[in-house]
Amino acid sequence: MTVLTDALDQLASADRSTEQQGVWTVTGRDTVSERVVDFISAADDEVVYMTAEELLTDEIAECLSTVSDRGVSIRLAEMSQSVEARLEQDVPYAQLFESLWDWSDTPAGRLLMVDQNKTLVSVLVDGNGEHPPEPRDETAIWGAGQTNSLVVVLKALFTWQLDNNRDSQDE
């Protein structure tokens, strides 16, 4: 019995990684929005967020404002002038950057990266009509951890996008 106890004590003191290696799926616009709010709320350093305008809820805008007030850097993809005006009022220190693509031409929903450690990407899919005026719903995948494959890919994408925006602003 003491051999087993000693072995377990050694295991408990070992360094363990709590990093998640997989990618998880969430379905439903409200559920995806809850996950986005959870991720943004937990931000310590930086939030990078690209979204279809109809998915930018008051709750998400309020959450962005709250973490910005805590000193978290907020980077948002450019949207329509009316949405940008609202965000300038709600999140005055947010930095806008040029989006990779025209969201209206794609089924893309959201791209989110928090602290370069958590990422979420969603698409609009055929739904049951709960979110008028279109019968569209949303499905997202998310991952966390520095070596998580989704995090690595989206971090590279955002880094490239933000670096290109900085280069074009310097010209």
Side-chain angles (χ1 to χ4, degrees), residues 104-141:
S104 62
D105 292 341
T106 70
R110 319 173 204 223
L111 291 173
L112 171 68
M113 182 173 64
V114 174
D115 296 336
Q116 297 189 10
N117 190 46
K118 290 181 183 174
T119 56
L120 178 143
V121 60
S122 77
V123 293
L124 299 175
V125 296
D126 290 335
N128 60 12
E130 288 182 17
H131 298 281
E134 295 181 45
R136 305 284 278 165
D137 210 342
E138 187 177 16
T139 296
I141 57 173

Side-chain angles (χ1 to χ4, degrees), residues 2-169:
T2 58
V3 172
L4 179 59
T5 303
D6 290 343
L8 289 174
D9 286 342
Q10 288 176 353
L11 286 175
S13 64
D15 243 357
R16 294 186 185 168
S17 173
T18 58
E19 194 168 292
Q20 299 172 341
Q21 296 300 317
V23 174
W24 287 262
T25 303
V26 288
T27 301
R29 192 174 289 192
D30 296 335
T31 306
V32 174
S33 290
E34 287 172 18
R35 179 69 53 179
V36 168
V37 167
D38 288 346
F39 280 11
I40 293 172
S41 296
D44 292 321
D45 298 314
E46 178 184 54
V47 172
V48 181
Y49 190 45
M50 300 171 72
T51 186
E53 292 180 9
E54 69 266 21
L55 300 177
L56 183 63
T57 65
D58 291 341
E59 184 180 15
I60 292 171
E62 184 178 311
C63 187
L64 289 166
S65 175
T66 300
V67 299
S68 177
D69 290 346
R70 283 196 338 243
V72 173
S73 171
I74 307 293
R75 296 181 178 182
L76 303 172
E78 293 177 341
M79 293 176 234
S80 70
Q81 288 183 345
S82 61
V83 173
E84 286 180 13
R86 174 181 154 211
L87 287 171
E88 283 177 15
Q89 191 172 30
D90 292 347
V91 193
Y93 298 109
Q95 299 172 347
L96 297 177
F97 65 92
E98 189 177 327
S99 178
L100 286 170
W101 58 79
D102 182 357
W103 288 90
S104 62
D105 292 341
T106 70
R110 319 173 204 223
L111 291 173
L112 171 68
M113 182 173 64
V114 174
D115 296 336
Q116 297 189 10
N117 190 46
K118 290 181 183 174
T119 56
L120 178 143
V121 60
S122 77
V123 293
L124 299 175
V125 296
D126 290 335
N128 60 12
E130 288 182 17
H131 298 281
E134 295 181 45
R136 305 284 278 165
D137 210 342
E138 187 177 16
T139 296
I141 57 173
W142 64 274
Q146 292 295 322
T147 61
N148 181 285
S149 57
L150 182 64
V151 173
V152 170
V153 169
L154 287 181
K155 188 187 327 186
L157 176 76
F158 277 127
T159 300
W160 175 82
Q161 177 66 43
L162 294 172
D163 285 349
N164 280 347
N165 273 276
R166 286 186 198 109
D167 291 345
S168 66
Q169 290 173 356

